[in-house]
Amino acid sequence: MNNWKSIAGLLIFLPLGYAGIWKLQHSIDAQRAALHQEQDDLSLRSAKMVKAISLEYAPLMADVYWTRVVQYYGDKTARRERNVELLWPLLDITTTLDPQLIVAYRFGATFLSEPPPRGAGRPDQGVALLERGIQANPDEWQFFGDLGFIYYFETKDYAKASAAFLEGSKKPGAMIWMKIMAARIAAEGESLATSIFLWNEVYTTTTDPTIKKNAEKHLRLLKVEQDCKLIDAVADEYEKRFGRRATRMSELIQSGLLRGEPVDSLGYSYVLGEDGKAELNLDSPLLEEQLLSQPKKKSPEVH
């Protein structure tokens, strides 16, 4: 009898307990969201005002604001939030407080230029920030390289990209690849070989671990693109010979056109999609990187 009473008590109080836990979690989530919003709204947007009240502590305050930029960007990207409207005001304040804070211009321009959710999707602001950096630090050749990157990869303005690399190549200490890139882009515009060359030079010459990691990621994805092009060429040849498109990679291997199973840089086998084109395996971690690197398609306008 006592056991039945205990069971009846559990049946009554368990739902109440779950309801209480749900309300508590909901309250915590709401408070966290409010805290994030409050932190965003508390930021002063006037760079001149912040510098005026900072007096001789302006460089120290610049470091504080730069830390705030990194935290803000990291928090937004970790939560895949596309609203990063405070990124530019924070960078504006940081570089106004200390015009010689090189890292703020270089990484700030990357944060601004890369497409969501990895960045703000505002290459125009990235260019503006770097131009401000060049004005304050005219001999910093790496600014011109970063500018060339934005023009080449984000805005597809190859004339400006070539000009930026060429101008930077004239600065003291500039790497030889700057001049090479200026010539290659002027002659070819965008090409897979040029992109691989550019990122490889950045990867091998930089000492900054964050920049090296970013270059390594791009090289992995460019290798995927290169591999898929080669596999597609083999699939095209298979179609010519047999009058139909291969549906499985094993068919290309059995035909003798492929010597073995092609894999990506992480060891996952490539597959043929529904259209018979090569693509990444669904299990490959590179697939998420690839999807995040692709710009979001705009929805068609309704008239």
Side-chain angles (χ1 to χ4, degrees):
M1 188 70 178
N2 290 333
N3 289 339
W4 283 108
K5 287 182 178 179
S6 299
I7 293 171
L10 284 172
L11 291 174
I12 293 171
F13 289 108
L14 273 177
L16 294 175
Y18 283 126
I21 292 171
W22 181 86
K23 287 183 179 180
L24 177 61
Q25 185 62 52
H26 185 72
S27 175
I28 291 172
D29 291 341
Q31 289 176 11
R32 288 179 63 186
L35 177 60
H36 284 301
Q37 185 61 46
E38 182 182 7
Q39 288 173 339
D40 288 355
D41 292 341
L42 283 174
S43 299
L44 287 173
R45 291 175 180 263
S46 173
K48 291 182 179 179
M49 181 182 296
V50 175
K51 187 165 187 177
I53 64 178
S54 299
L55 301 175
E56 69 271 20
Y57 299 105
L60 178 60
M61 287 297 295
D63 290 335
V64 172
Y65 268 90
W66 171 240
T67 301
R68 178 73 179 96
V69 169
V70 175
Q71 291 174 339
Y72 176 80
Y73 172 78
D75 185 50
K76 292 288 188 179
T77 52
R79 290 185 285 143
R80 302 285 179 88
E81 291 187 11
R82 295 176 179 270
N83 177 21
V84 287
E85 64 176 15
L86 287 182
L87 195 54
W88 171 257
L90 286 168
L91 286 164
D92 180 28
I93 293 171
T94 302
T95 53
T96 298
L97 287 168
D98 186 357
Q100 277 70 53
L101 190 58
I102 305 301
V103 67
Y105 295 109
R106 299 201 66 203
F107 284 99
T110 300
F111 297 164
L112 289 166
S113 301
E114 289 202 329
R118 290 182 291 110
R122 292 295 304 272
D124 57 321
Q125 291 182 346
V127 167
L129 186 66
L130 286 170
E131 288 178 341
R132 176 188 293 188
I134 290 170
Q135 187 173 2
N137 309 273
D139 289 332
E140 191 65 37
W141 68 270
Q142 290 176 315
F143 285 165
F144 293 91
D146 296 334
L147 198 58
F149 262 78
I150 294 176
Y151 284 135
Y152 182 82
F153 287 110
E154 307 301 344
T155 68
K156 311 297 183 185
D157 191 329
Y158 306 120
K160 287 185 178 180
S162 178
F165 283 119
L166 182 60
E167 185 64 25
S169 71
K170 302 174 185 177
K171 301 299 178 181
M175 293 290 183
I176 186 64
W177 61 264
M178 293 281 286
K179 187 173 290 186
I180 295 172
M181 285 309 303
R184 290 188 68 159
I185 294 173
E188 303 173 11
E190 183 182 27
S191 74
L192 186 57
T194 299
S195 298
I196 292 173
F197 176 87
L198 179 55
W199 282 114
N200 189 62
E201 287 301 316
V202 173
Y203 179 79
T204 55
T205 58
T206 187
T207 57
D208 188 286
T210 305
I211 295 177
K212 185 176 285 288
K213 184 177 179 181
N214 188 42
E216 185 179 20
K217 180 194 71 176
H218 282 89
L219 284 170
R220 285 197 300 267
L221 294 179
L222 287 168
K223 178 67 165 55
V224 168
E225 187 177 348
Q226 188 177 52
D227 289 346
C228 287
K229 283 181 179 293
L230 292 173
I231 296 169
D232 287 344
V234 172
D236 291 342
E237 179 61 27
Y238 181 95
E239 187 174 13
K240 287 180 183 177
R241 292 189 185 185
F242 299 98
R244 64 177 183 85
R245 196 78 180 175
T247 58
R248 295 186 302 276
M249 201 68 69
S250 59
E251 294 179 80
L252 301 180
I253 298 171
Q254 291 167 4
S255 70
L257 293 171
L258 277 181
R259 293 186 177 181
E261 191 171 32
V263 297
D264 63 31
S265 59
L266 298 182
Y268 290 84
S269 300
Y270 286 103
V271 297
L272 294 179
E274 292 181 359
D275 58 356
K277 298 286 187 180
E279 57 186 41
L280 283 167
N281 195 306
L282 290 175
D283 293 328
S284 176
L286 292 178
L287 183 60
E288 184 178 4
E289 286 187 5
Q290 187 184 65
L291 293 174
L292 288 176
S293 70
Q294 295 172 351
K296 184 180 179 182
K297 293 182 180 180
K298 294 183 179 179
S299 300
E301 296 182 3
V302 178
H303 297 282

